[in-house]
Amino acid sequence: MANVDVVSGESILTIVFNENGKVAHIVTVTRDFSQSVVEKKKIIESEQRYRSIVEQNLDGILTVNMDGIILNVNPVAKKMLRLPTEEIINKDIYSFIEEDKLPVFTTLFTRTRVGHPSDSFNNHFLINKEFNTKVQIKTIPIVIDENITGIYIVLKDVTELSKSVEKIKFMADHDQLTGLLNRRALIT
């Protein structure tokens, strides 16, 4: 079987009658829109790739506009916040950040608004006080046609890591039998 390309097109038929009212000619104009079909398919695939990376990501992802209003939330972020979508969407991202961390978060957000992806590294943010959910935050600009139109906020759950660090610090400064401060803690 020969390899055949598929061509997409449309035809417009116009009937031309003679003076007796009988069909004299049929005129057809055909337009090839194969390229449009290919381009539309590429756009759909690109959208599906975007959705896949956001929806299937192991980290929480919030999409916010330039004012910090949450536009979209992936399933992992919903689970971290322990809230239904309607209680997250259209809320200010700052309302989920603990008050003493607002200056750090504002710096991250401001840097990203001008095109610089940022990471909170050693700063862990408490985003759910009730369940003590701590996250590391990355902010990534959303660039469309060379303009920053919003920001992705990636939330990495570090709750267990934070608990482990606290436990190690405690163990380093306390006697394992009595729980009292040890010599190391008293010297430093």
Side-chain angles (χ1 to χ4, degrees):
M1 182 174 200
N3 188 7
V4 179
D5 290 335
V6 175
V7 176
S8 298
E10 69 178 353
S11 294
I12 299 174
L13 302 175
T14 305
I15 300 173
V16 179
F17 298 96
N18 63 16
E19 36 308 315
N20 298 330
K22 302 241 182 209
V23 176
H25 305 286
I26 298 176
V27 178
T28 182
V29 176
T30 302
R31 180 174 67 101
D32 178 5
F33 59 82
S34 301
Q35 189 62 34
S36 295
V37 170
V38 170
E39 289 171 6
K40 186 174 182 177
K41 187 175 181 178
K42 285 180 182 178
I43 289 170
I44 290 169
E45 287 174 7
S46 177
E47 171 70 17
Q48 289 174 349
R49 277 193 296 276
Y50 156 78
R51 285 272 168 230
S52 180
I53 199 166
V54 171
E55 298 299 321
Q56 304 302 319
N57 205 302
L58 298 175
D59 292 329
I61 300 178
L62 302 168
T63 305
V64 300
N65 68 15
M66 296 298 282
D67 297 320
I69 303 302
I70 300 169
L71 305 174
N72 193 14
V73 56
N74 78 343
V76 175
K78 281 194 306 190
K79 186 175 177 183
M80 286 180 184
L81 294 169
R82 297 180 193 221
L83 292 171
T85 303
E86 50 279 354
E87 289 185 34
I88 302 170
I89 301 295
N90 294 320
K91 297 287 192 280
D92 191 329
I93 185 64
Y94 289 91
S95 67
F96 293 98
I97 305 297
E98 59 189 314
E99 199 169 318
D100 65 321
K101 296 288 187 168
L102 282 174
V104 175
F105 181 78
T106 301
T107 301
L108 290 173
F109 196 82
T110 302
R111 283 183 41 79
T112 306
R113 284 182 61 165
V114 295
H116 303 286
S118 299
D119 194 329
S120 65
F121 292 116
N122 295 325
N123 286 297
H124 297 163
F125 295 84
L126 183 66
I127 58 164
N128 187 317
K129 292 178 183 121
E130 183 179 346
F131 296 100
N132 201 26
T133 305
K134 292 185 180 179
V135 296
Q136 180 181 359
I137 294 178
K138 291 181 184 182
T139 54
I140 303 163
I142 300 170
V143 181
I144 298 174
D145 293 328
E146 298 181 22
N147 294 313
I148 299 169
T149 61
I151 297 173
Y152 292 119
I153 297 179
V154 180
L155 310 172
K156 181 164 189 70
D157 191 339
V158 293
T159 305
E160 292 304 315
L161 174 67
S162 191
K163 287 177 185 176
S164 296
V165 168
E166 291 296 320
K167 187 174 183 178
I168 290 169
K169 284 181 183 178
F170 181 85
M171 290 170 59
D173 291 338
H174 293 79
D175 180 78
Q176 62 181 330
L177 293 175
T178 65
L180 299 173
L181 289 174
N182 62 18
R183 183 183 308 172
R184 181 185 176 279
L186 294 172
I187 294 174
T188 55

